[in-house]
Amino acid sequence: AIQLTQSPSSLSASVGDRVTITCRASQGISSALAWYQQKPGKAPKLLIYDASSLESGVPSRFSGSGSGTDFTLTISSLQPEDFATYYCQQFNSYPRLTFGGGTKVEIK
Amino acid sequence: QVQLVESGGGVVQPGGSLRLSCAASGFTFSSYGMHWVRQAPGKGLEWVAFIRYDGSNKYYADSVKGRFTISRDNSKNTLYLQMNSLRAEDTAVYYCAKDRKIGGDQPRLLDYWGQGTLVTVSS
């Protein structure tokens, strides 16, 4: 089964900072990767799909890149509402989906 | 607007059974595959199961295969998860989620999620 490793597991940042989160797949998954945002007590929200496509309604400060085994989620200028946990998810190895372990973005 | 509302969670003893429901509205339920995803307290997300839009194909995580059954009733716009032989490690919030692709027959992306229902397996 394909494993996804996110780094870091947590980070502290200030409003306005540029934040980058990495997701590494245990084997190549082409561009079959998505990113989700989850706030405490809430359901996850789809941000990015196909590694770099922005879901409708998601602010343009979020961007994704990568293919194969290495992927990144970038928040160009962190806003107060962006403090949350972020998960990557692969859908290349269907019919079973896998999520990364998550990256918690906290206020510095 | 898309709404997914889970119900049926609660406390159950190890070895027991529980059936979760997810009532869907705001989209053509019968045209989309549906998922169950769970999250143990303080932990990350774990995909549990997927059912094709017409119910003809179902897929499961290895951790629940043979114990859980996903099903749907398109006439009632409702998704189900029958959970048998429950274990302590099944304790989690269970979310239902809609697949993003219309008519898709494989699990891919989860674009709308419910608020979740908590299942606690404890004696």
Side-chain angles (χ1 to χ4, degrees), chain B residues 45-117:
Chain B
L45 302 169
E46 180 187 14
W47 175 80
V48 172
F50 170 84
I51 185 167
R52 198 175 119 126
Y53 63 94
D54 59 359
S56 62
N57 281 352
K58 305 172 186 181
Y59 305 107
Y60 299 92
D62 290 342
S63 57
V64 307
K65 196 170 186 179
R67 300 187 298 122
F68 290 11
T69 301
I70 188 172
S71 63
R72 65 192 297 160
D73 186 337
N74 285 346
S75 68
K76 295 183 178 178
N77 288 351
T78 302
L79 176 72
Y80 302 100
L81 185 68
Q82 177 67 43
M83 304 185 294
N84 298 331
S85 303
L86 283 162
R87 307 165 180 167
E89 55 264 35
D90 296 319
T91 294
V93 173
Y94 285 73
Y95 296 100
C96 72
K98 170 187 165 291
D99 197 82
R100 193 175 187 275
K101 185 175 182 181
I102 188 168
D105 60 355
Q106 299 281 357
R108 295 183 74 247
L109 297 163
L110 298 80
D111 63 349
Y112 288 93
W113 300 59
Q115 84 290 349
T117 187

Side-chain angles (χ1 to χ4, degrees), chain A residues 36 38 43 55 89 95-96, chain B residues 39 47 60 100 108 110 114:
Chain A
Y36 298 83
Q38 186 180 32
E55 178 70 343
Q89 173 240 317
R96 289 172 183 81
Chain B
Q39 186 169 35
W47 175 80
Y60 299 92
R100 193 175 187 275
R108 295 183 74 247
L110 298 80

Side-chain angles (χ1 to χ4, degrees), chain A:
Chain A
I2 293 178
Q3 315 243 358
L4 297 178
T5 303
Q6 285 185 236
S7 60
S9 56
S10 66
L11 65 91
S12 295
S14 300
V15 172
D17 284 353
R18 181 181 183 88
V19 169
T20 298
I21 298 168
T22 297
C23 179
R24 176 163 289 174
S26 58
Q27 62 191 75
I29 58 171
S30 186
S31 297
L33 189 100
W35 290 95
Y36 298 83
Q37 175 194 66
Q38 186 180 32
K39 296 181 179 179
K42 300 294 187 182
K45 173 187 175 183
L46 177 63
L47 299 177
I48 302 281
Y49 62 95
D50 292 347
S52 61
S53 296
L54 197 66
E55 178 70 343
S56 177
V58 174
S60 59
R61 63 181 179 273
F62 291 93
S63 64
S65 65
S67 68
T69 60
D70 294 310
F71 302 86
T72 59
L73 172 70
T74 299
I75 309 172
S76 60
S77 178
L78 197 65
Q79 297 303 299
E81 60 267 31
D82 301 336
F83 292 95
T85 300
Y86 294 85
Y87 295 92
C88 57
Q89 173 240 317
Q90 70 81 23
F91 52 96
N92 182 77
S93 176
Y94 53 73
R96 289 172 183 81
L97 308 181
T98 49
F99 288 91
T103 296
K104 187 174 184 179
V105 177
E106 298 177 300
I107 301 172
K108 195 172 199 177

